[in-house]
Amino acid sequence: MKLSKQTDYAFRTLIYLGHLPEGELATIQHICDFYRISSNHISKVVMQLVRLGYVDAVRGKGGGIRLSYPAEQIALVEIVRHFETTLQPINCSEQPCRIIRGCKLKGLLEGAIQAFLSALTGYSLADILDGETQKILFMEG
Amino acid sequence: MKLSKQTDYAFRTLIYLGHLPEGELATIQHICDFYRISSNHISKVVMQLVRLGYVDAVRGKGGGIRLSYPAEQIALVEIVRHFETTLQPINCSEQPCRIIRGCKLKGLLEGAIQAFLSALTGYSLADILDGETQKILFMEG
């Protein structure tokens, strides 16, 4: 039962940016170095976050990226919805399942996914930022 | 947001066996042919279902497999628990995430997975068997 790598990296990027000291910018390289994730993966996720309006890219020398909104306004469930390529826990149409027409499992799993999303609804990025993480991010080098 | 192929195939196998006419046996080859899934994948899943006690294997000529219990006694949530290698939607320890110590996302996602599992709790294999699927399985050839 897994979220995609894209969602995982989007969360890690937002958590990094959410802990940035006021007025500072990060670079993709900072984030990759910190999490030890290839810059190829993080670049794609950052581009998508910029396109979706969650992240601002400041160009030029000394440029970088930062959150576009206060963390309180970034709903975690929306990040899942934007970055998951599917919200079907079983892909019935990938190698078309022959019982798809009558299958009642599909509806049950859809209900379970709704329960998963409902449990995240109401939480924002601000709810997962804290001093302990900030210490790890910016004080332990 | 996906369940593993193993869970998917376990469900498909159980749905097939759950619709078997009383007293009949299926073979792994029947199931593979019906769903057009490689016998290698289905064999592993069936072995696991036998090991877990959900499926009986009858040896010898004319042998085959069938459910060990009535479908009412096969809890769908237990199938998910047995066949998912992880119930963590993000694998924090795979390439050890450096913020794992302070991360508050982990707890939120664990809560969401519990909500997913709770939504399935109480449903059995019998709840997803029906005449329409049986028709597709055994009457449309």
Side-chain angles (χ1 to χ4, degrees):
Chain A
M1 186 65 182
K2 291 184 80 172
L3 292 166
S4 68
K5 286 276 176 218
Q6 285 66 38
T7 307
D8 180 357
Y9 296 159
F11 277 136
R12 293 191 202 205
T13 299
L14 291 170
I15 290 171
Y16 190 98
L17 297 179
H19 285 99
L20 267 185
E22 179 85 23
E24 289 198 18
L25 296 171
T27 65
I28 289 174
Q29 200 56 51
H30 289 155
I31 299 172
C32 299
D33 289 349
F34 177 77
Y35 288 115
R36 301 183 189 116
I37 296 171
S38 98
S39 67
N40 191 26
H41 290 125
I42 294 288
S43 297
K44 281 187 194 157
V45 162
V46 167
M47 280 196 312
Q48 176 77 342
L49 286 167
V50 169
R51 207 176 301 128
L52 292 165
Y54 289 109
V55 166
D56 271 340
V58 178
R59 292 176 193 282
K61 198 166 179 297
I65 56 174
R66 65 183 168 210
L67 294 183
S68 307
Y69 307 104
E72 289 75 11
Q73 291 172 34
I74 298 178
L76 299 180
V77 72
E78 292 307 319
I79 302 303
V80 173
R81 288 187 193 277
H82 284 305
F83 282 87
E84 286 300 295
T85 49
T86 176
L87 286 172
Q88 285 198 322
I90 284 180
N91 192 337
C92 309
S93 45
E94 196 178 66
Q95 48 192 121
C97 183
R98 290 185 60 194
I99 58 168
I100 195 170
R101 204 172 74 223
C103 186
K104 291 164 84 177
L105 178 61
K106 206 165 160 275
L108 271 186
L109 291 175
E110 280 165 8
I113 281 291
Q114 287 311 316
F116 177 91
L117 297 173
S118 294
L120 291 181
T121 299
Y123 290 101
S124 76
L125 180 60
D127 294 313
I128 57 170
L129 304 181
D130 74 344
E132 177 69 10
T133 306
Q134 185 154 41
K135 213 170 93 186
I136 301 170
L137 282 165
F138 298 109
M139 293 176 212
E140 295 184 0
Chain B
M1 187 65 182
K2 290 183 81 172
L3 292 166
S4 68
K5 285 276 177 218
Q6 286 65 38
T7 307
D8 180 357
Y9 296 160
F11 278 135
R12 294 192 202 205
T13 300
L14 291 170
I15 289 170
Y16 190 98
L17 297 179
H19 285 98
L20 265 186
E22 180 84 25
E24 288 197 19
L25 297 172
T27 65
I28 290 174
Q29 200 55 50
H30 289 154
I31 299 173
C32 300
D33 289 348
F34 177 77
Y35 288 115
R36 302 183 187 114
I37 297 171
S38 96
S39 67
N40 191 25
H41 290 126
I42 294 288
S43 296
K44 281 187 195 157
V45 162
V46 168
M47 281 197 310
Q48 177 77 342
L49 287 167
V50 170
R51 208 175 301 128
L52 291 165
Y54 290 108
V55 166
D56 271 342
V58 178
R59 293 178 192 280
K61 199 166 178 296
I65 56 175
R66 64 183 170 210
L67 294 183
S68 307
Y69 306 104
E72 289 75 12
Q73 291 173 34
I74 298 178
L76 299 181
V77 73
E78 291 308 317
I79 302 302
V80 173
R81 289 186 192 278
H82 284 305
F83 282 87
E84 286 301 294
T85 49
T86 174
L87 286 173
Q88 285 197 323
I90 284 181
N91 193 337
C92 309
S93 46
E94 198 179 62
Q95 48 192 122
C97 183
R98 289 185 61 194
I99 58 168
I100 194 169
R101 205 173 72 222
C103 186
K104 291 164 84 178
L105 178 61
K106 204 166 161 276
L108 272 186
L109 291 175
E110 282 166 6
I113 280 291
Q114 286 311 316
F116 177 92
L117 297 173
S118 294
L120 291 181
T121 300
Y123 290 101
S124 76
L125 179 61
D127 294 312
I128 57 171
L129 305 181
D130 74 343
E132 176 68 9
T133 307
Q134 185 155 41
K135 212 170 93 186
I136 301 169
L137 281 166
F138 297 109
M139 293 178 211
E140 295 184 359

